[in-house]
Amino acid sequence: MSTSPFNSPQPESAKNAATIGKAVKIIGQIFSKEDLYVDGDVEGTIECQDNKLTIGPNGKLQAAVRAREVIVLGQIKGNVEAADRIEIRKDARLVGDIKTARIKIEDDAYFKGSIDIVKHDAKAAPATPRPVTPAASTATP
Amino acid sequence: MLPERFRTMFRSSSALASPKSSRPALADKESVVTRQSRALDQFFTYIDDQVGLSILDLAGATQENVSFVTDLGHKLYTQDFLRSLDDTFGADEIQEQAAGNRIDYFLEQNLDFPENTFDGVLIWDVMQYLSPALLSATIQRLHTIVRPRSYLLAFFNADDKSTHSPKTTFRIQNKSTIELVQRGQRKQAQMFNNRSLEKLFGQFESVKFFLTRESLREVIVKR
């Protein structure tokens, strides 16, 4: 699912990943069984439990997120569970609670919320994340 | 090698190393100082033998502080108080901070937690940038959301000749050492001395002061 022009270079983290381009808005639930790169708008939930989720610099999420690894360059408003690690890059913005095993926050990143470091052996049984806003429609890539 | 408490690093020359001027520094150079902090040491000594506490950091998230607090087994809540202050009232718009409805809005956005939520608060130096009305309301709210017998760590500029103080990021290096990264200056809303701080935290159980050589007054407050 890509809206990027064929000749525009893709960011490193978008290679080999399903892509939601910056002109796309999705309201609903996204389940992915491969790495996912989101540079557009998403309201609802995103789950890619065994894969990496990257929010590009234009990405805006109002969503509960669950992934193995989360890289944030854009904006997230919602709770994030990253089983392995989360990175909040410079100029990224995350408002919500984080549950993860490891976290990296770059200088000039904005984060507001709580950080709960969960060791792998102490993880609770997985539960489905609740949408931040009621879903108006559902898109399942 | 010098003992850690004597180790002071300056990565660049700094206008903030001599904060006597009452005007903002012309050059926005960054200075980095690493030093011992007795107040920081006491704060973490008080919670040394506990895990699973809820700690609130009002100065935004830094990798060092997040790692240090979570490695101790605590849950960290971060609020970027100064950025939110600027977003709500405008940068350096201290007079704007007096409007009652905007104070309520600011507190709802930043300190909307149930009673007795936190076991410790890293206030750092953010309180000196709040107007008297906003500061009073903030302290009142902190008193509510912090558990009895918990501690707060706060820093205040002790140079009473300066109306500005360095914009500082505090990075915890270990239990008793902090790195102060300073860039530019910010106008203080008011000046404090020991007496005014005792009055400010009057409803708390105790207030203890440590004066540092950077004209910084470190304060440990017990709820």
Side-chain angles (χ1 to χ4, degrees), chain A residues 33-67:
Chain A
K33 289 185 176 175
E34 60 180 315
D35 290 352
L36 181 62
Y37 183 87
V38 179
D39 211 24
D41 288 10
V42 175
E43 289 179 20
T45 63
I46 299 181
E47 282 196 65
C48 35
Q49 299 238 25
D50 300 323
N51 297 94
K52 181 164 85 171
L53 170 68
T54 304
I55 313 305
N58 302 298
K60 282 186 186 171
L61 269 57
Q62 194 166 333
V65 168
R66 172 172 290 148

Side-chain angles (χ1 to χ4, degrees), chain B residues 81 85 97 103 106-107 111 123 126-142 156 189-192 196-197 200-201 203:
Chain B
F81 228 59
L85 193 71
Q97 297 175 13
I103 289 174
F106 179 80
L107 293 178
L111 292 177
I123 294 173
V126 302
M127 293 298 154
Q128 60 191 358
Y129 304 111
L130 309 187
S131 72
L134 180 58
L135 178 61
S136 174
T138 301
I139 296 295
Q140 179 62 47
R141 181 66 65 91
L142 284 172
F156 295 87
Q190 48 187 321
M191 306 300 295
F192 298 91
S196 61
L197 287 171
L200 178 65
F201 294 105
Q203 62 189 316

